[in-house]
Amino acid sequence: MSLIPYSSGLKIYERMPPKMRRTVGSLMRPVPRRMLLGNGFQEQLKDLRASEYWTREELERYQVKRLRALLAHAERSVPYYHDLFRAAKLDSATADLRSLKELPVLTKDIIRSEHDRLRAVNSPEFHPGEANTTGSTGRPLRFLVDQQTREVEHAAVWRHYLGSGISGLDGRIASFRGDFVSERSGGPLWRWDGRVKELTFNTYVLDQDNVRKMVDELDRFHPEAMRGYPHSLFILSTKMEASGLRLGFVPRFVHTSSEQLPRHMRETIERVLGCPVRDWYSQSEYVISAGECSEGTYHQTMETGIVRIQEDAWGMERLIGTGLWNMSMPFINYEIGDHVAIGEEDCPCGRKHLVLGSIEGRVNDVIVTADGNALSGVGIDNFYEKEVIPALAGAPEYMKLVQDGIASYTVEAFRSAGLAESDEQSIKKAFRALLGQEADITVKTLDKMPDQKKWKNVESRLSPEDIARLLRERSG
Ligand SMILES: [Zn+2]
């Protein structure tokens, strides 16, 4: 998931060719981040800071107020909800949190088939941007996200940074995410990202030599916080530990997001980088988010979304969310696709926000390429979106990469209209560029959409021991 710019100035920056972007990025270097983030963001952050320690009653009262405004808008301006509320005899003026139970669930299939009727007739008023999600659900999903939704969600992330110990909006951050996906091994080892004012590292080239150079650069840059995908920070930590490298400073915290954070990854990152990991849960649709506090509890951002739990056909508790800020395409009672449990206890940190326990989603494995790079579901997601799908005559509704052996892979694909022979060749070609020219790649065309309990777009049939050994040997 790429970061969406927060003001029009940054949109212009995004459209510039890379060389110009680097020049402008370095010219903007002295501009404080707080100025780049914009007024909308600053106001949202101020409000979120004020409600951080509200009582549960205050938080729920606020949710009901925002929910009523959202429902009234949806009834008035969104054709899909207009008909739905009429059929359900819903009165937006008296609705409360329980009313959501009376409404049908919004599924990803409904968003695909009713996309145009889910768009508010006055959507341009909210300055929406087109956004999408691919892998963790299997099939691409396109939708609109308002400017104010992006601002409030980004402000929620910043409330979490501030609560985790960053000194302020201009605190230095180093990032280890998928920003170099199009360049991979051809790109530089790091780059200053002027959009977000972060030092961004190339996570596709984490071999022993490069990690040594990156640690030197980190020591020079001296960030207050490090953030990234769990698997990227895990590989960085593993390589550092193998070469006996330590940071010359102690970051205040490491912020992980976008993927499941397994316990062994968390422990390795904390041991090697010497500071606590504070995980963040959210999704591209910006409906439900939660951040981990100093007690290790995930608190849901109740100011931006309402959580409901529903048991699914597999007997598991599914997360149903209502996003309180997105007006151009409201997500009301949306089935996110992740499984969660609601925690009961009061947290010693003093926050009264809903406690989410055992969030399970984005369950993906890691695959290893010929040159020893590890790729996770999020990395493959970006790759599908940017390199594979544009090369095809028709986008498959489902694609999954399976590692069968040390250098053999299967790409499973399903497209209801069928995949052309030339598309199979294009898929092979694209994946060979990612996995290595010697990689043995089979494209398996499925004759129906697979029915799976948990969505995975990346699966490894290698044992965890083999994966660890390959990572050590290949990039040693
Ligand atoms: Zn807490």
Side-chain angles (χ1 to χ4, degrees), residues 43 91 358 465:
E43 274 164 35
D91 178 6
S358 68
E465 294 76 30

Side-chain angles (χ1 to χ4, degrees), residues 293 295 297 299 347 349 351:
C293 73
E295 304 294 324
T297 306
H299 293 281
C347 186
C349 79
R351 291 177 185 84

Side-chain angles (χ1 to χ4, degrees), residues 91-279:
D91 178 6
S92 60
T94 57
D96 60 18
L97 301 179
R98 286 183 305 270
S99 313
L100 288 168
K101 283 201 192 92
E102 314 302 322
L103 292 173
V105 166
L106 176 68
T107 63
K108 291 178 168 61
D109 281 339
I110 294 175
I111 295 174
R112 282 184 203 102
S113 60
E114 302 275 353
H115 183 279
D116 295 342
R117 295 180 66 241
L118 275 161
R119 177 197 283 261
V121 291
N122 56 344
S123 62
E125 280 176 33
F126 307 102
H127 308 287
E130 283 275 357
N132 60 74
T133 154
T134 45
S136 44
T137 51
R139 292 198 270 172
L141 186 70
R142 303 196 175 276
F143 48 91
L144 299 177
V145 178
D146 295 358
Q147 172 78 7
Q148 66 172 7
T149 307
R150 295 191 291 261
E151 285 167 349
V152 75
E153 289 298 329
H154 197 55
V157 171
W158 267 94
R159 175 169 75 177
H160 188 237
Y161 287 168
L162 291 163
S164 304
I166 204 163
S167 60
L169 287 183
D170 294 318
R172 272 199 288 272
I173 300 174
S175 136
F176 288 78
R177 293 170 59 85
D179 304 270
F180 292 76
V181 66
S182 308
E183 297 152 279
R184 294 189 296 281
S185 49
L189 296 188
W190 56 79
R191 172 190 297 147
W192 177 252
D193 186 341
R195 285 176 312 169
V196 287
K197 302 191 75 72
E198 289 174 5
L199 189 62
T200 311
F201 287 82
N202 186 345
T203 54
Y204 296 92
V205 294
L206 292 173
D207 66 25
Q208 220 84 314
D209 259 5
N210 290 339
V211 163
R212 195 176 295 276
K213 291 176 192 155
M214 288 177 185
V215 168
D216 285 347
E217 180 63 12
L218 281 168
D219 282 345
R220 199 192 54 73
F221 182 62
H222 211 297
E224 286 183 15
M226 292 169 65
R227 69 178 196 113
Y229 297 152
H231 87 279
S232 303
L233 291 159
F234 169 71
I235 291 167
L236 173 79
S237 304
T238 308
K239 298 275 158 84
M240 282 176 65
E241 199 162 50
S243 338
L245 291 167
R246 296 294 293 184
L247 295 173
F249 62 97
V250 181
R252 297 183 183 186
F253 62 96
V254 168
H255 188 266
T256 49
S257 62
S258 310
E259 293 172 354
Q260 191 89 3
L261 173 67
R263 181 188 290 269
H264 77 280
M265 288 195 185
R266 176 195 292 270
E267 286 170 357
T268 305
I269 297 167
E270 292 189 337
R271 182 175 67 243
V272 178
L273 301 181
C275 66
V277 168
R278 298 269 182 266
D279 191 36

